[in-house]
């Protein structure tokens, strides 16, 4: 764990290490201590939640899945091809249902500020199996389809998300990849991971939405005045490299089928050729 953290620090540039960022990171770690304690101890809800998550261990062993991100490139692909595929969507991908009827097999959302706190009512209404951030479990009705996963601050890839927190890769896509690994998928394909945002703000900077950004598959993804954070590309890429190595070590496949995506960690493959 420490080796991964040190390796990550080596990739940072001086402009990425700001006093404000250090303070916020420190406060997050201190504030997370009670959540780690509750997640670790055998409280009734903790036990029930982990039992539910355990039912997904190797549930799709040997199969393939598609991890659906939220980039604008999604508007360039044929979603009808996914009709008989297992899909893991993220964040507000449920809005895609309004466009073409698509709804993923599973949905993952761990972002607190930009997602769960701003759209908690939407997420609580979803009926498919969902995986939310453990720290915000009390926002939700804790229905049988809702599962709560704990993340750590270290990026170390987790192969058993039920017994150890997920690695933090500064992106929900990394959480989806770890879930796919836990579920036993032999082949994983990323779709809609454009890895490109229309902002020059420093990584992690809070941005107030204009309501018209073109960073996602639908305009108005964030309403005017809502908040989102500038992406941390380097931290993401560091985590993706850990994921790629984990899959390679276990003789599994993970490739990037995003149309014209700018992420260059995984081997590229043409989406249409997968069918």
């Amino acid at each position: 764990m420490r080796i991964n953290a040190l390796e990550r620090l080596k990739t940072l540039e001086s402009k990425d290490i700001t006093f404000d960022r250090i303070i916020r990171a420190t406060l997050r770690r201190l504030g997370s201590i009670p959540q780690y304690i509750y997640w670790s101890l055998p409280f009734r809800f903790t036990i029930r939640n982990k039992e539910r998550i355990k039912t997904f261990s190797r549930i799709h062993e040997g199969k393939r899945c598609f991890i659906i991100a939220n980039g604008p490139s999604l508007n360039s692909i044929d979603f009808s091809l996914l009709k008989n595929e297992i899909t893991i969507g993220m964040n507000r991908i449920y809005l895609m249902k309004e466009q073409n009827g698509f709804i993923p097999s599973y949905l993952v959302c761990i972002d607190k500020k930009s997602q769960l706190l701003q759209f908690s009512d939407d997420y609580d209404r979803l009926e498919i199996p969902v995986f939310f951030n453990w720290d915000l479990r009390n926002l939700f009705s804790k229905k049988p389809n809702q599962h709560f996963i704990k993340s750590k601050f270290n990026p170390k890839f987790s192969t058993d998300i039920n017994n150890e927190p997920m690695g933090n890769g500064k992106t929900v896509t990394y959480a989806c990849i770890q879930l796919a690994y836990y579920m036993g998928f032999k082949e994983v394909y990323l779709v809609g991971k454009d890895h490109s945002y229309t902002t020059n703000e420093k990584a992690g900077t809070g941005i107030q939405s204009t309501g018209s950004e073109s960073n996602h598959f639908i305009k108005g993804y964030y309403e005017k005045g809502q908040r989102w954070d500038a992406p941390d590309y380097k931290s993401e890429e560091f985590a993706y490299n850990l994921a790629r190595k984990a899959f390679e070590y276990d003789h599994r496949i993970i490739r990037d089928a995003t149309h014209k995506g700018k992420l260059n960690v995984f081997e590229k493959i043409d989406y249409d050729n997968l069918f």
Side-chain angles (χ1 to χ4, degrees):
M1 177 182 290
R2 291 179 181 175
I3 293 175
N4 285 331
L6 291 172
E7 289 176 350
R8 166 66 192 116
L9 287 173
K10 291 177 182 178
T11 68
L12 292 174
E13 296 181 7
S14 57
K15 65 182 180 65
D16 295 325
I17 307 174
T18 64
F19 180 75
D20 179 63
R21 194 173 182 186
I22 292 172
I23 292 297
R24 284 190 286 115
T26 301
L27 292 175
R28 283 197 300 270
R29 282 160 173 76
L30 291 174
S32 71
I33 292 175
Q35 299 293 351
Y36 273 108
I37 293 173
Y38 202 100
W39 185 84
S40 301
L41 295 178
F43 294 107
R44 181 180 300 177
F45 178 74
T46 305
I47 293 172
R48 185 169 75 248
N49 182 66
K50 289 186 176 182
E51 287 175 346
R52 288 177 179 174
I53 293 176
K54 191 174 182 180
T55 63
F56 293 96
S57 177
R58 299 187 175 277
I59 192 173
H60 298 300
E61 188 161 15
K63 298 180 180 180
R64 77 173 185 176
C65 79
F66 290 78
I67 291 177
I68 315 297
N70 287 191
S73 67
L74 291 182
N75 294 313
S76 303
I77 69 167
D78 182 358
F79 268 85
S80 68
L81 296 174
L82 296 173
K83 183 173 62 174
N84 298 317
E85 301 287 344
I86 303 171
T87 53
I88 301 176
M90 63 190 74
N91 294 352
R92 305 197 78 199
I93 192 64
Y94 56 84
L95 295 175
M96 184 64 73
K97 186 177 182 180
E98 301 174 7
Q99 295 186 191
N100 57 23
F102 173 76
I103 193 75
S105 310
Y106 304 99
L107 184 137
V108 179
C109 185
I110 59 172
D111 185 280
K112 297 180 183 180
K113 293 187 299 179
S114 300
Q115 291 292 326
L116 295 175
L117 288 172
Q118 294 190 138
F119 307 108
S120 57
D121 290 342
D122 284 359
Y123 285 119
D124 200 42
R125 285 193 292 266
L126 294 175
E127 297 181 353
I128 59 174
V130 293
F131 297 83
F132 297 146
N133 192 315
W134 165 265
D135 295 0
L136 295 184
R137 62 195 176 281
N138 291 328
L139 277 181
F140 302 97
S141 40
K142 299 176 182 175
K143 297 180 291 186
N145 69 309
Q146 296 177 351
H147 313 83
F148 300 91
I149 49 181
K150 189 78 185 83
S151 295
K152 54 195 170 193
F153 291 100
N154 188 278
K156 181 178 179 291
F157 189 89
S158 173
T159 59
D160 185 357
I161 63 170
N162 197 42
N163 290 313
E164 65 171 324
M166 279 188 169
N168 185 336
K170 304 297 183 181
T171 168
V172 65
T173 307
Y174 190 50
C176 291
I177 294 173
Q178 291 171 90
L179 176 62
Y181 186 100
Y182 182 71
M183 289 180 164
F185 287 106
K186 181 72 173 180
E187 299 178 27
V188 173
Y189 299 98
L190 305 182
V191 182
K193 183 58 185 176
D194 294 36
H195 206 56
S196 175
Y197 278 70
T198 55
T199 179
N200 294 317
E201 295 287 350
K202 291 182 179 179
T205 300
I207 300 171
Q208 186 169 309
S209 175
T210 63
S212 60
E213 290 93 349
S214 57
N215 297 318
H216 301 91
F217 60 87
I218 187 172
K219 288 289 180 69
Y221 185 92
Y222 290 113
E223 296 179 4
K224 185 176 181 180
Q226 290 185 321
R227 306 290 297 184
W228 57 281
D229 290 338
D232 186 344
Y233 295 123
K234 290 187 178 179
S235 292
E236 289 187 30
E237 290 164 9
F238 182 84
Y240 291 144
N241 271 294
L242 296 180
R244 179 177 54 79
K245 291 174 182 177
F247 270 73
E248 290 174 351
Y249 181 81
D250 202 25
H251 305 291
R252 304 198 207 184
I253 292 171
I254 179 167
R255 292 177 179 166
D256 187 355
T258 299
H259 180 64
K260 296 182 179 179
K262 295 184 179 180
L263 179 63
N264 294 309
V265 173
F266 306 107
E267 180 181 344
K268 301 284 188 179
I269 191 168
D270 185 85
Y271 174 80
D272 292 326
N273 288 342
L274 292 169
F275 307 93

